Amino acid sequence: MTRKTLRKILSFGVSVIAITAVVVVAIFYSYSESQVKENLHMVESIVEAELNQNGEYEFLQNSIDEKTRVTLIAADGTVLADSMEDASKMGNHSDREEFQEAVSKGESSCLRQSETLNESTYYYAKLLDNGNVLRVSTTASETKDFFSNILLYVVISLICVIAVSVAISVGITKSIVKPFEDIEKNLDNLDAVETDAELKPLVDALKEQKKRQKALDKQKKQFTANVSHELKTPLTSIAGYAELIETGMAKPEDVKPFASVIRKQALRLVSLSEDIIQLSQLEESDEQKIVFESVDIYEICKKCVEALSINAKNKNVTLTLEGENCYVKGNGSLLEELVYNLCDNAIRYNKENGSVTISVVPEDDGVKLTVKDTGIGIPDKYQERIFERFFRVDKSRSKATGGTGLGLAIVKHIAQQHDAKLTLNSVLGEGTEISILLKK
Ligand code: ADP
């Protein structure tokens, strides 16, 4: 991060400096060029005034100014006088760009290679009243020399400024990155980190995440401990009874009931492991991976009623399904598991000759599924907790009826994944009603 930030700041700084330097140099260049042109105009007007005054042009043969050259050209292009060269030796100038333009337009300025001096030269030519053309020129080397001197200073100052900006950038980068490094170093003790107001939300979010992670870890540890405990009881019982049979300590008439206990405990282990697997699969698969489709929740309830009718009959409980076919957005097998668990509980925690009513009712914003029983009910103080894993109001009753303590935890999970609202209404001794509002 430090390198990246430094590179960004540096490239920004250097580009700003470089652009500024180019702009300044360009301004200087155009300024010096305009100075040269102004100078040529001035010399021309002085010489023109002199020519007008005495009509002679011989004075032009003498050098006027060592940097500026003055040439008087006749209308046919013959050079009449030149301040730097012998006019008689100079060829006809009628083909010169500035001469032609001055003749046609009255005056002309240009920058071109001089044939006589073989140097890049600025020209200013003007058509005089008598038809001659007065031309003044100066070589561009003047500007170039001035310019190369300036350029040297510009480059030196550029190097100095870049060196200073590198030092400043390193300083700025360090000060930007330092708070992040502090946070990284003190991840285990975020309270000790002193941050600016801008970084406070980040530190707070990290603290919150750590808190959540801690709670999650605690929950996982608790779950593992609970699972080991739940497995230990049936396994100890299986091992104990098997040992009695193995060592011959069990009387022949005890063998059968002992074998029956072993079978029951083994079945308990099977349903426990099934529920544990189901719960961990639910936790692992996030909502994106679950296939949601349009399913008929009434049909699902019908299936569960059929599957549980024997259990209901054994307990002398009547099982009734009310409502109509209703489609909801959900996963068929997960919803089947949810309905099965609710109905199974409603039968198991029911009273002799009690009843269970399942109803499927369409509502404005979805479909309401209700499982209502006339069972033992849940004490108020435990109503919040029954959806926790392994929480049972009456452990022995749960175990005796084949409960694992995970049924409602699975129900809660499935409801959450379907974004469905769960409501519980229960009166101790009278019965329980659990409703779930599914989306269409
Ligand atoms: P279990 O396997 O013990 O039934 P659940 O997670 O399904 O586990 O339920 C947790 C506890 O909630 C049960 O042990 C029971 O005490 C209570 N409970 C669940 N459903 C009912 C119900 N319909 N009537 C009364 N108590 C219930």
Side-chain angles (χ1 to χ4, degrees):
M1 178 179 167
T2 317
R3 277 176 157 213
K4 232 179 175 179
T5 316
L6 181 62
R7 218 180 305 142
K8 274 185 197 161
I9 295 178
L10 255 182
S11 48
F12 174 71
V14 169
S15 13
V16 168
I17 293 165
I19 291 168
T20 314
V22 169
V23 170
V24 167
V25 167
I27 291 172
F28 258 108
Y29 189 78
S30 79
Y31 175 71
S32 57
E33 218 179 34
S34 71
Q35 280 294 100
V36 167
K37 284 178 185 164
E38 213 171 278
N39 204 33
L40 286 183
H41 278 250
M42 204 176 69
V43 172
E44 190 279 335
S45 58
I46 293 169
V47 175
E48 190 184 338
E50 187 72 23
L51 280 174
N52 285 342
Q53 222 172 45
N54 53 28
E56 299 282 323
Y57 56 76
E58 278 72 21
F59 74 95
L60 285 178
Q61 300 293 130
N62 310 318
S63 165
I64 291 168
D65 169 19
E66 60 181 44
K67 288 176 194 158
T68 318
R69 181 178 164 203
V70 183
T71 317
L72 185 67
I73 308 162
D76 62 356
T78 317
V79 177
L80 299 173
D82 188 281
S83 67
M84 284 188 185
E85 295 286 327
D86 184 349
S88 57
K89 286 182 188 154
M90 289 168 73
N92 190 292
H93 269 44
S94 59
D95 59 345
R96 301 299 197 271
E97 189 187 327
E98 67 282 0
F99 173 80
Q100 287 173 354
E101 206 177 274
V103 169
S104 64
K105 292 183 183 164
E107 61 175 356
S108 158
S109 318
C110 70
L111 171 68
R112 66 169 177 84
Q113 200 73 10
S114 153
E115 277 175 34
T116 320
L117 301 173
N118 198 22
E119 260 190 83
S120 182
T121 310
Y122 287 105
Y123 289 99
Y124 174 62
K126 194 177 172 192
L127 181 68
L128 302 180
D129 295 340
N130 60 9
N132 291 342
V133 169
L134 180 60
R135 185 185 78 171
V136 281
S137 60
T138 188
T139 59
S141 60
E142 264 295 296
T143 338
K144 270 191 196 152
D145 287 349
F146 169 73
F147 202 63
S148 50
N149 279 343
I150 280 232
L151 209 62
L152 185 71
Y153 287 117
V154 168
V155 170
I156 292 172
S157 0
L158 209 63
I159 292 169
C160 293
V161 172
I162 288 176
V164 171
S165 59
V166 167
I168 293 173
S169 305
V170 171
I172 293 176
T173 310
K174 274 189 183 158
S175 71
I176 292 175
V177 172
K178 194 177 172 294
F180 291 100
E181 285 177 343
D182 282 351
I183 293 173
E184 194 194 354
K185 272 186 216 149
N186 292 296
L187 268 181
D188 289 331
N189 185 18
L190 285 169
D191 289 324
V193 182
E194 278 176 32
T195 44
D196 301 336
E198 291 91 337
L199 284 181
K200 204 172 170 297
L202 174 71
V203 176
D204 288 347
L206 281 173
K207 278 184 195 167
E208 190 54 38
Q209 203 200 348
K210 277 198 79 180
K211 227 189 264 172
R212 249 183 282 141
Q213 189 59 45
K214 260 188 191 165
L216 218 64
D217 288 347
K218 202 177 153 195
Q219 219 180 351
K220 268 191 184 160
K221 264 189 197 157
Q222 182 75 44
F223 182 61
T224 318
N226 283 342
V227 168
S228 329
H229 180 76
E230 294 291 331
L231 292 174
K232 213 173 151 190
T233 324
L235 282 172
T236 316
S237 153
I238 290 171
Y241 282 106
E243 194 186 350
L244 288 179
I245 297 171
E246 189 186 24
T247 53
M249 279 168 79
K251 290 179 206 141
E253 64 268 29
D254 287 340
V255 172
K256 232 179 164 183
F258 284 5
S260 160
V261 172
I262 290 173
R263 196 178 68 89
K264 268 189 196 146
Q265 296 295 2
L267 285 177
R268 213 176 117 62
L269 284 176
V270 171
S271 53
L272 196 63
S273 53
E274 274 172 359
D275 278 0
I276 292 169
I277 290 169
Q278 168 93 43
L279 203 56
S280 66
Q281 274 175 350
L282 277 171
E283 268 173 3
E284 269 170 29
S285 61
D286 48 39
E287 276 155 56
Q288 276 95 17
K289 283 187 199 139
I290 299 172
V291 184
F292 285 91
E293 47 202 355
S294 184
V295 285
D296 185 349
I297 190 72
Y298 186 80
E299 277 304 314
I300 289 176
C301 293
K302 219 164 146 184
K303 251 189 181 175
C304 290
V305 168
E306 278 162 22
L308 285 164
S309 61
I310 302 269
N311 301 30
K313 213 173 169 188
N314 289 344
K315 281 215 70 173
N316 271 334
V317 169
T318 45
L319 197 55
T320 326
L321 172 62
E322 290 173 355
E324 56 188 272
N325 291 80
C326 286
Y327 284 86
V328 297
K329 200 170 159 269
N331 178 285
S333 52
L334 289 182
L335 288 178
E336 201 176 315
E337 177 82 22
L338 178 142
V339 179
Y340 186 95
N341 284 353
L342 290 180
C343 296
D344 184 41
N345 280 354
I347 298 167
R348 286 194 293 118
Y349 300 104
N350 220 311
K351 295 174 189 162
E352 194 63 23
N353 297 321
S355 70
V356 173
T357 314
I358 307 150
S359 69
V360 177
V361 182
E363 300 231 326
D364 289 345
D365 44 353
V367 176
K368 195 173 184 180
L369 163 82
T370 310
V371 179
K372 189 177 175 191
D373 65 62
T374 55
I376 58 171
I378 303 158
D380 284 351
K381 59 175 175 178
Y382 295 133
Q383 289 188 6
E384 285 263 304
R385 300 198 57 196
I386 56 162
F387 293 96
E388 286 174 20
R389 297 151 172 189
F390 295 116
F391 181 83
R392 293 120 158 166
V393 176
D394 178 351
K395 208 165 183 172
S396 54
R397 179 169 181 141
S398 160
K399 280 186 180 170
T401 54
T404 58
L406 293 174
L408 288 183
I410 293 173
V411 166
K412 187 181 161 192
H413 240 292
I414 297 174
Q416 269 172 355
Q417 282 177 335
H418 283 75
D419 201 14
K421 197 174 170 248
L422 260 178
T423 11
L424 166 78
N425 266 312
S426 185
V427 179
L428 192 62
E430 286 184 19
T432 303
E433 183 185 297
I434 297 181
S435 299
I436 174 161
L437 186 64
L438 290 157
K439 297 212 160 129
K440 270 187 198 159

